[in-house]
Amino acid sequence: MNQAIEKLLNDQVKYEASASMQYLSMASWADANGYNGIAEFFYAQSEEERIHMTKLVKFINERSGNVIVPALDKPKGDYGSLNELFEVFLENEIFVTEQINHIIYECLQHKEYNVHNFMQWYVTEQLEEEATARTLLDKLNIIGDDKSGHYLFDRDINMIAEANQGPE
Ligand code: FEO
């Protein structure tokens, strides 16, 4: 595999791992603050990001590349509001999408068509995740500071997220 592409894939391992830890931290914050539905949502997101990371690790190994399991920065652990929590979620997903688009671009430059093909799965996944993050943040912006609205949002978050993804 091209060295530049291998480096980009290893960077992506780190971004997916960081997202997993970030969402774990968000789940824990929600849990500690009485938002059980939001906690479950982020615990599940954290697991998903771990799967994204592992899929990359296995792919690099299949292609006889060198996997570098990264050290991670400490994730943000404290949030002033639900809006802030979901703003961080959306910002993180936008960042990951940009990185994936960059890998796709570089794959074409280096004629790494197998990697390009493999990365299409991530493109589809990011579309869904970014749309989910946007939908949830839009709902929160409508709710504003209304506490009973937050209660209902917490109760219904998984339904909202699933409805947003549509039929599989
Ligand atoms: Fe795997 Fe949502 O980035």
Side-chain angles (χ1 to χ4, degrees):
M1 190 173 14
N2 175 284
Q3 292 290 297
I5 297 296
E6 185 178 315
K7 160 92 172 60
L8 286 173
L9 291 179
N10 270 307
D11 288 348
Q12 196 61 34
V13 167
K14 180 170 183 178
Y15 302 141
E16 303 290 349
S18 295
S20 180
M21 288 300 109
Q22 181 62 64
Y23 299 158
L24 182 63
S25 166
M26 287 155 81
S28 177
W29 179 88
D31 221 351
N33 284 279
Y35 297 113
N36 296 350
I38 296 171
E40 285 312 313
F41 173 81
F42 279 114
Y43 281 131
Q45 276 310 122
S46 174
E47 291 297 328
E48 282 217 10
E49 300 301 351
R50 195 175 185 288
I51 291 167
H52 298 177
M53 175 197 70
T54 308
K55 201 174 162 76
L56 276 159
V57 167
K58 289 183 175 173
F59 179 76
I60 298 168
N61 276 319
E62 264 170 28
R63 296 288 312 271
S64 304
N66 262 330
V67 170
I68 300 160
V69 174
L72 303 177
D73 298 331
K74 186 173 182 291
K76 180 174 166 64
D78 205 16
Y79 301 89
S81 65
L82 288 184
N83 283 57
E84 190 185 344
L85 189 74
F86 282 85
E87 276 159 15
V88 171
F89 179 35
L90 178 58
E91 276 166 21
N92 199 59
E93 289 303 323
I94 290 172
F95 171 77
V96 169
T97 301
E98 286 170 357
Q99 303 313 309
I100 286 168
N101 288 342
H102 180 56
I103 296 176
I104 300 272
Y105 173 81
E106 290 296 327
C107 282
L108 291 177
Q109 303 305 305
H110 294 284
K111 298 188 168 62
E112 280 279 2
Y113 299 119
N114 280 333
V115 184
H116 183 273
N117 190 40
F118 168 76
M119 290 306 295
Q120 295 307 310
W121 183 86
Y122 287 83
V123 172
T124 309
E125 195 68 13
Q126 279 313 113
L127 252 178
E128 272 188 13
E129 292 196 338
E130 242 191 85
T132 298
R134 265 182 231 286
T135 301
L136 293 171
L137 190 54
D138 284 348
K139 297 275 180 220
L140 279 174
N141 284 331
I142 292 168
I143 293 165
D145 288 337
D146 178 22
K147 281 207 170 12
S148 55
H150 287 165
Y151 172 83
L152 294 174
F153 178 88
D154 181 60
R155 191 192 64 180
D156 294 342
I157 179 169
N158 284 305
M159 235 164 55
I160 301 166
E162 276 166 26
N164 181 66
Q165 284 169 17
E168 288 290 311

